[in-house]
Amino acid sequence: MRPEGAPRPSCTTDGKSELHTQLQQLAKAAGLAAAVRINKSGCLDQCEHGPTVVIYPEAVWYGNVKPEDAVEIVNEHLLGGRPVERLRIADTCLNAKSCPHRS
Amino acid sequence: MRPEGAPRPSCTTDGKSELHTQLQQLAKAAGLAAAVRINKSGCLDQCEHGPTVVIYPEAVWYGNVKPEDAVEIVNEHLLGGRPVERLRIADTCLNAKSCPHRS
């Protein structure tokens, strides 16, 4: 892991498994098991945005996602079709050399 | 790993790393490094289709992909925008309990 102060700190493994589990359980409970796959990914190269979730096919990226955000992602985005704006990584921040990153 | 004769045999790890490397190198050589991310994934749940590649945002799925297929995927699909039909997993075969799987 790269240290927190690094230019591109590791997106931290804290809570990532819990986030995955939360998304999986909530999606299943919402009846989405056959429609949505909650998958792990390799490195998404968004280190500075912390734990990252990307939803395809709509290509909506979320950054600094906490396990407790899972319920909003499932209810609002997966069920409701409304991306969760407060968690979104702006398109201009994706793969950008610099941008006003949310903390 | 589940055995080859199993109802849902493991998608086999043979050549998967080589496939990933091939895709990565060819995409980079084609000038696509900034436009396309060749990412690893967790299990895509398409075991019976062998090594699987999915391309988003267009959600085109390829099955039984061999390292030597990488050049066609990069040239035809990523550069040319034309999915490689011979490798495609039919939509009706995705997550289907049974289907005439390609071998």
Side-chain angles (χ1 to χ4, degrees):
Chain A
M1 258 181 77
R2 297 183 294 276
E4 255 190 58
R8 301 196 78 201
S10 292
C11 66
T12 172
T13 56
D14 292 358
K16 278 214 295 188
S17 289
E18 197 191 332
L19 171 59
H20 186 258
T21 304
Q22 282 293 318
L23 286 169
Q24 223 164 21
Q25 289 178 345
L26 291 166
K28 192 176 173 188
L32 293 170
V36 175
R37 183 160 181 87
I38 307 295
N39 210 16
K40 291 185 180 179
S41 75
C43 169
L44 293 168
D45 201 22
Q46 304 301 325
C47 329
E48 60 272 51
H49 298 292
T52 297
V53 171
V54 55
I55 300 189
Y56 280 114
E58 52 268 63
V60 167
W61 292 73
Y62 294 128
N64 289 305
V65 185
K66 294 177 182 57
E68 54 267 33
D69 295 324
V71 65
E72 199 172 344
I73 291 175
V74 170
N75 288 346
E76 287 297 308
H77 188 143
L78 299 185
L79 280 175
R82 295 176 295 272
V84 182
E85 296 302 333
R86 71 176 183 87
L87 295 172
R88 265 183 112 150
I89 304 175
D91 284 349
T92 50
C93 281
L94 287 167
N95 308 313
K97 281 207 165 42
S98 71
C99 83
H101 296 126
R102 17 183 334 275
S103 63
Chain B
M1 258 181 78
R2 297 183 293 277
E4 254 189 58
R8 303 196 79 204
S10 292
C11 66
T12 170
T13 56
D14 292 357
K16 279 214 297 189
S17 289
E18 197 191 331
L19 171 59
H20 185 259
T21 304
Q22 282 293 316
L23 286 169
Q24 223 164 20
Q25 289 178 346
L26 291 167
K28 193 176 173 190
L32 293 169
V36 174
R37 184 160 180 87
I38 308 295
N39 210 16
K40 291 185 182 178
S41 75
C43 170
L44 293 168
D45 202 21
Q46 304 302 325
C47 326
E48 60 274 49
H49 299 292
T52 297
V53 171
V54 56
I55 300 189
Y56 280 114
E58 51 268 63
V60 167
W61 292 72
Y62 295 127
N64 289 304
V65 184
K66 295 176 183 60
E68 53 267 34
D69 295 324
V71 65
E72 200 172 341
I73 292 175
V74 170
N75 288 346
E76 287 298 307
H77 189 143
L78 299 185
L79 279 175
R82 297 175 295 270
V84 182
E85 296 301 333
R86 70 176 184 88
L87 295 172
R88 264 182 113 149
I89 304 175
D91 284 350
T92 50
C93 282
L94 287 167
N95 309 313
K97 279 209 166 44
S98 71
C99 84
H101 296 127
R102 27 185 325 280
S103 63

